[in-house]
Amino acid sequence: LSHKTQELEKAITFFQSKLPQEREVDQILQDVWQMAAANSLESKTVKMQKTEKTANYSEQPIQMSLSGNFNGFYSFLLQLEKLPRITRVSQMKLEKISDREGEMQAQMTLSIFFDGGAPSLARSN
């Protein structure tokens, strides 16, 4: 039982290391915008949704609209996937811009997860 508790504590520590503190969410959002700009994507709209809180973490959904070249958008998604923090794209709608070859508009909901003060497992001796 003690060994299993130690394994679970290590797992909790690992996942908590992937959750920024709430004060870091703005920096992560800024990093996302810089990635979009670096891939020649234009930010059309950004709407912060209501934060969803659980006992262990909080989720900040952000609705965003981007436009630009599809290849740039694809590179942006690959970079999002490689972020050291936990993020999730829960909704995405892509539309081709008909009068411009290779151009598209994306509407998506990106969630940033952050630490909600999860307690560690209590050890039983």
Side-chain angles (χ1 to χ4, degrees), residues 63-118:
Q63 285 184 329
M64 48 197 289
S65 177
L66 302 168
S67 65
N69 184 277
F70 177 78
N71 291 330
F73 181 69
Y74 182 70
S75 294
F76 169 74
L77 290 177
L78 291 175
Q79 291 171 352
L80 268 181
E81 186 177 45
K82 292 178 183 175
L83 283 175
R85 301 298 187 177
I86 298 173
T87 57
R88 175 179 67 161
V89 175
S90 59
Q91 295 179 346
M92 183 185 319
K93 179 181 177 185
L94 295 175
E95 293 179 352
K96 182 180 185 319
I97 299 176
S98 59
D99 60 342
R100 297 191 309 231
E101 188 62 34
E103 299 289 306
M104 56 97 237
Q105 180 168 334
Q107 296 171 342
M108 59 193 283
T109 301
L110 172 70
S111 289
I112 298 172
F113 295 86
F114 58 93
D115 188 8

Side-chain angles (χ1 to χ4, degrees), residues 27-61:
Q27 179 60 47
I28 294 168
L29 188 56
Q30 183 177 356
D31 293 345
V32 168
W33 293 128
Q34 288 174 350
M35 287 187 324
N39 287 290
S40 301
L41 298 174
E42 183 181 339
S43 303
K44 298 286 189 180
T45 60
V46 178
K47 294 180 185 174
M48 303 287 271
Q49 302 297 303
K50 182 179 178 186
T51 301
E52 300 170 22
K53 297 183 179 196
T54 70
N56 299 325
Y57 66 88
S58 295
E59 177 180 355
Q60 177 61 66

